[in-house]
Amino acid sequence: MKSTTFRSAVGAVLTAALSAVVLPASAASAAEGPAAAGTVDTATAQSFGRLADAVLTQRTAALLDTKQSVRRAAPLAEKNIRLSAGQTRTEDTALSALRTRKARLASLGEAYTSADTRVAVDRVRVEDGHATVQATETTTLAYKKIRGDEPATTGFQAHHRLSFAATADGKWQLTGLTSTDDGPLAVNEPATAPVAAARTTALPDATPAAISVPSRPQTKPAGSYDYAAMASYAEKYWQSYNPAYRKFNEAGGDCTNFVSQALKAGGWANKSGDAEDYRSWWYDTSYQSTSWVGANEWSWFTLDSKRATNLANVYYMGVGDVMQMDFDKDGSKDHTMVVTYRSSSGVPYLTYHSVNTYRKSVASIIASYPTSAYYAYRT
């Protein structure tokens, strides 16, 4: 089976001078057509990227307080590439869900005034009339100054797999767009219904935190760790990884590994012991404890060692505190994040890996996952 892999960069603003032209059948194989021959030209790879950029930019725009403040992207259909009928319906549903999320965010006191979404095509693989495109999205959104103490922006990097099918006349249709990341949804990614799993139990148990805005904010007291150093570390490496540490993106996700690094930067000391024993917490040049990289094991270690305590409400978190999520409430924690900014009115903003994200408000996370279980830890 013949296949061809291309690598290209489609992250900059593409002008109309770059035409979206599919390699004609005569240039590849008059009998089989371009997709069957396993070939695609640079212009086609660029048009794949433009369509991905257009779809994801449209999703981002659905979250904005105004429609005039998003970068103009290519149209959703060009001469030789467009959405399939099924994907058009999928995107209509996605935009409706995102507008609902925008309304939910507004009720929580959050909005975005402008945004910039860029897409880089990392790989194009063509085989038997189908193209698979791996793409990286980088999005920045500007917070609307509702209370006046919001940070300037939030941002994230997300990875996507796009599926294209060739039509009989040599054109392409987008038939699927899926995220390849673990962790919480990017704010512009519509939610899918979680699949319930059998509930598991583990000790020591963490206590779920309330997610309603409290009537009285709580200030984090002084502690024995350098919380500013934790935040500084996380905000330095949220996008470009620290080469001194191993990555775990392909081994269940890098979120807890990233938070452990930030906590160590703020003064958490290694605790020796067997790597599989949750009562130990350490990292060295060749291995690490499961509590360093595992969300559940980190929680068990943290509570057993009393390095942190559970908070009753996620809005009580301050800089350097940690939040975990159980997406489908099956009893197993799925994701770990660290607070790197807290507004004067008491809204925590979290930074994390998988999806790599900078200063995302707890309100926007709750708006995306209103039925999940949340755990807040005072470090």
Side-chain angles (χ1 to χ4, degrees), residues 96-165:
S96 177
L98 290 169
R99 285 189 285 269
T100 298
R101 183 175 298 167
K102 179 174 74 170
R104 190 180 298 131
L105 279 167
S107 71
L108 294 169
E110 182 166 313
Y112 310 115
T113 58
S114 62
D116 185 79
T117 291
R118 309 277 172 147
V119 173
V121 172
D122 304 315
R123 175 174 295 181
V124 179
R125 184 178 180 86
V126 181
E127 192 170 17
D128 264 2
H130 296 276
T132 301
V133 178
Q134 304 290 341
T136 299
E137 170 197 359
T138 302
T139 289
T140 302
L141 299 104
Y143 286 111
K144 184 177 182 179
K145 295 298 183 180
I146 296 175
R147 295 175 302 274
D149 57 1
E150 294 87 350
T153 62
T154 181
F156 64 86
Q157 277 193 330
H159 302 89
H160 305 278
R161 181 174 58 249
L162 296 94
S163 300
F164 291 87

Side-chain angles (χ1 to χ4, degrees), residues 59 82-94 163 173-177:
R59 288 184 178 184
R82 57 184 46 82
L83 274 65
S84 68
Q87 192 62 32
T88 298
R89 291 191 294 271
T90 296
E91 288 306 310
D92 287 343
T93 301
S163 300
Q173 289 188 335
L174 177 66
T175 58
L177 171 59

